[in-house]
């Protein structure tokens, strides 16, 4: 099985078995027929439970693909206990369960544990605004996510993930693999791409988020980011902040979606031909 997903993450391509983000290795997605059949088989063997989980997710306004978290956590086995002490189909630790009023004993209760997991996932999404980071946070905790973001100076998973525990990185890979098997990977990656348009910066050690209203168009490798910045009277660093990974994407693919604040986009479109002509004349295409 082979598929290609373009312009979902900036600089992303899923080809056969590998997901790249900005030219860097993100996930060894096992798209083999055996792996897909394995995940699909587990889901088909637990149809009633899967339907129950999906209904609770939908009632909370959450996507059905989150059922895959229980799939990779426990294979829907309510009686499983991890070496770290996580219990049930959602592999809830005692502290996590208690945070939502779930007793230690009730972690094996399918209804109560699922209700707890759904509320927890909804809260994590309100905080991180993308499912990739939510899955990571569910595995290693919000504290580790905050430390990784601080170390990377970014809220984008593909940038801060290198500061996360290896177990968490593998957990996210498994989730992407499962979503590939259920035909929902594109939805997960599209959601991530939308969330990355939030500009994140750090001030006095505190993470702050600015929601930039961005518009999009298409550019090719003939454009120079320096020329674009000069013509629009903005800093190149801002262009890069609005378009993380665009240099690599232009180099690898020869084209890319290009984002600018809504108020700047009309100026760019009016000058687009001039900018391209100047970029070619100066011989500075695909450069910062």
């Amino acid at each position: 099985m082979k598929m290609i997903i373009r312009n979902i993450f900036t600089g992303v391509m899923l080809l056969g078995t590998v997901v790249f983000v900005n030219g860097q290795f993100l996930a060894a997605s096992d798209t083999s027929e055996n792996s897909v059949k394995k995940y699909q088989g587990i889901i088909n063997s637990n149809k009633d439970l899967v339907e129950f989980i999906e209904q609770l997710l939908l009632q909370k306004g959450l996507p059905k693909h989150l059922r895959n978290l229980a799939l990779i956590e426990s294979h829907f086995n309510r009686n499983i206990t991890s070496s770290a002490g996580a219990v049930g189909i959602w592999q809830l630790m005692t502290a996590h369960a208690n945070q939502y009023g779930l007793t230690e004993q009730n972690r094996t209760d399918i209804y109560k544990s699922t209700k707890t997991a759904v509320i927890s996932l909804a809260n994590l999404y309100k905080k991180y605004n993308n499912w990739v980071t939510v899955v990571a946070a569910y595995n290693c905790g919000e504290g580790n996510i905050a430390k990784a973001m601080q170390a990377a100076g970014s809220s984008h998973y593909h940038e801060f993930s290198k500061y996360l525990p290896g177990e968490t990185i593998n957990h996210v890979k498994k989730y992407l693999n499962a979503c590939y098997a259920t035909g929902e990977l594109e939805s997960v990656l599209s959601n991530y791409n939308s969330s990355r348009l939030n500009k994140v910066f750090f001030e006095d050690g505190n993470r702050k988020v600015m929601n930039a209203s961005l518009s999009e168009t298409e550019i090719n490798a003939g454009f120079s980011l320096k020329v674009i910045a000069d013509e629009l009277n903005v800093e190149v660093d801002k262009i890069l902040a609005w378009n993380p990974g665009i240099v690599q994407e232009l180099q690898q693919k020869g084209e890319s979606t290009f984002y600018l604040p809504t108020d700047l986009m009309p100026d760019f479109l009016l000058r687009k031909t001039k900018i391209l002509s100047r970029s070619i004349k100066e011989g500075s295409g695909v450069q910062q």
Side-chain angles (χ1 to χ4, degrees):
M1 297 179 66
K2 288 188 177 181
M3 63 185 293
I4 297 177
I5 297 178
R6 297 180 183 273
N7 295 328
I8 295 173
F9 285 117
T10 292
V12 135
M13 178 182 289
L14 173 64
L15 175 59
T17 60
V18 181
V19 175
F20 286 97
V21 176
N22 297 332
Q24 296 182 345
F25 179 72
L26 174 69
S29 298
D30 186 354
T31 60
S32 66
E33 186 174 354
N34 287 339
S35 178
V36 170
K37 285 184 176 180
K38 173 187 174 183
Y39 280 129
Q40 292 175 342
I42 295 171
I43 289 175
N44 289 334
S45 297
N46 294 273
K47 284 185 177 179
D48 291 341
L49 177 54
V50 168
E51 183 178 352
F52 166 73
I53 292 172
E54 290 178 349
Q55 285 301 313
L56 283 188
L57 288 168
L58 292 174
Q59 288 174 15
K60 195 68 176 177
L62 303 183
K64 292 194 295 183
H65 65 70
L66 288 174
R67 129 269 293 155
N68 291 339
L69 190 55
L71 169 63
I72 66 170
E73 290 280 1
S74 66
H75 290 182
F76 303 114
N77 182 353
R78 62 184 291 180
N79 297 313
I80 192 171
T81 300
S82 74
S83 59
V87 171
I89 63 173
W90 295 98
Q91 288 293 277
L92 294 166
M93 298 291 289
T94 300
H96 189 181
N98 291 343
Q99 182 181 349
Y100 291 93
L102 184 71
T103 65
E104 183 175 358
Q105 293 74 20
N106 281 335
R107 288 181 294 168
T108 57
D109 185 291
I110 292 176
Y111 173 76
K112 292 180 180 179
S113 65
T114 299
K115 186 175 180 180
T116 295
V118 168
I119 294 173
S120 174
L121 291 168
N123 289 340
L124 290 173
Y125 189 76
K126 289 178 183 177
K127 183 171 184 177
Y128 299 118
N129 200 37
N130 78 84
W131 296 117
V132 173
T133 304
V134 166
V135 171
Y138 189 89
N139 178 261
C140 69
E142 296 171 55
N144 282 323
I145 297 295
K147 291 177 183 177
M149 287 183 175
Q150 183 69 51
S154 171
S155 67
H156 302 316
Y157 175 82
H158 64 274
E159 294 177 344
F160 72 73
S161 60
K162 61 185 176 182
Y163 297 101
L164 293 175
E167 176 189 347
T168 300
I169 296 172
N170 287 330
H171 202 68
V172 172
K173 291 177 183 178
K174 288 181 182 179
Y175 191 78
L176 296 178
N177 295 344
C179 288
Y180 176 84
T182 57
E184 296 162 307
L185 179 59
E186 184 171 355
S187 174
V188 176
L189 299 185
S190 294
N191 167 263
Y192 179 88
N193 185 60
S194 296
S195 73
R196 73 175 181 80
L197 298 184
N198 289 334
K199 182 181 178 183
V200 177
F201 64 98
F202 292 84
E203 184 177 282
D204 299 327
N206 296 315
R207 176 174 175 269
K208 298 180 182 294
V209 179
M210 294 178 61
N211 295 316
S213 178
L214 301 178
S215 297
E216 65 180 77
T217 186
E218 298 294 321
I219 65 172
N220 59 44
F223 284 86
S224 162
L225 300 187
K226 286 184 178 179
V227 173
I228 293 174
D230 184 57
E231 288 286 339
L232 298 181
N233 195 28
V234 297
E235 297 176 359
V236 174
D237 286 346
K238 287 187 177 181
I239 298 289
L240 294 173
W242 296 321
N243 297 273
I246 190 170
V247 174
Q248 295 93 330
E249 184 161 2
L250 288 172
Q251 290 173 339
Q252 293 169 8
K253 303 178 184 178
E255 60 184 8
S256 174
T257 301
F258 182 60
Y259 296 95
L260 284 174
T262 302
D263 59 342
L264 280 180
M265 186 59 78
D267 289 339
F268 172 75
L269 295 177
L270 284 172
R271 304 180 191 183
K272 191 171 184 178
T273 301
K274 177 185 177 182
I275 291 172
L276 179 57
S277 177
R278 181 181 162 189
S279 297
I280 295 173
K281 183 178 180 181
E282 297 179 9
S284 53
V286 200
Q287 296 180 19
Q288 297 180 22

